[in-house]
Amino acid sequence: MTVDSKTTALLVLDLNARCEDPKQVCHKLVEPVAKLLVRVRNAGMPIFYTVSRSHKGTPEKRIPKAFDKFYGGELERMLKDRGIKTVIVTGTSSNQEVLYTATSAVRPLGYNAIIPLDGLIAHGEYEHEYTLHQFTVLSGVADKFTFTELDRITFN
């Protein structure tokens, strides 16, 4: 899958210092997402690391998780200011942060969403599969979701 690096942004949801701990489920995403980050940076594409507005300025290790990263924050404005049309959504808690943020991106905000199946994770297989199912049945906008894998994303 080739994406336009001028109109696409990478969203990295809730991958913070706690993910350095091998006991945390998000630890499994550190290496694969890090590899994608190198390629995204080389393509000159914007990257957004998210945190809820109410915890802006909080030390990284003390940030609690919040679901929809568009809610009450600056993410939408920053994407619009850069002319972004497509977001690649990666992160932990696929049934929470990824589900709610990607759904908001697509509806009501109108972005296309690329979901790399190996770039998100949940605590259990059911939660992960539930999230993917929800994207495929979201009324009127399911076609705005594209599924791929991290290594299959290329940039022009």
Side-chain angles (χ1 to χ4, degrees), residues 70-83:
F70 285 101
Y71 182 76
E74 303 171 62
L75 181 58
E76 180 182 4
R77 180 188 52 76
M78 290 189 291
L79 293 173
K80 295 260 187 233
D81 287 352
R82 289 169 176 78

Side-chain angles (χ1 to χ4, degrees), residues 9 11 26 32 45 54-55 62 86 91 93 97 99 120 133 147:
L11 306 183
C26 60
M45 206 170 89
S54 62
H55 295 96
R62 299 184 61 200
T86 302
S93 300
E97 285 75 12
L99 175 63
L120 45 122
H133 172 73
F147 301 97

Side-chain angles (χ1 to χ4, degrees), residues 26-40:
C26 60
H27 180 74
K28 295 176 184 174
L29 291 180
V30 171
E31 185 178 330
V33 171
K35 288 179 182 177
L36 177 65
L37 287 168
V38 169
R39 296 187 306 117
V40 167

Side-chain angles (χ1 to χ4, degrees), residues 11-99:
L11 306 183
V12 181
L13 309 179
D14 286 353
L15 292 179
N16 53 38
R18 71 184 164 80
C19 300
E20 294 172 5
D21 180 355
K23 295 176 188 164
Q24 296 288 325
V25 69
C26 60
H27 180 74
K28 295 176 184 174
L29 291 180
V30 171
E31 185 178 330
V33 171
K35 288 179 182 177
L36 177 65
L37 287 168
V38 169
R39 296 187 306 117
V40 167
R41 286 184 187 114
N42 289 339
M45 206 170 89
I47 302 167
F48 295 89
Y49 300 90
T50 62
V51 65
S52 66
R53 183 179 192 182
S54 62
H55 295 96
K56 191 174 180 180
T58 302
E60 190 174 26
K61 288 186 178 184
R62 299 184 61 200
I63 296 173
K65 298 189 319 183
F67 296 164
D68 183 353
K69 302 307 179 180
F70 285 101
Y71 182 76
E74 303 171 62
L75 181 58
E76 180 182 4
R77 180 188 52 76
M78 290 189 291
L79 293 173
K80 295 260 187 233
D81 287 352
R82 289 169 176 78
I84 300 301
K85 295 179 178 18
T86 302
V87 292
I88 301 170
V89 185
T90 63
T92 189
S93 300
S94 55
N95 60 309
Q96 295 171 348
E97 285 75 12
V98 173
L99 175 63

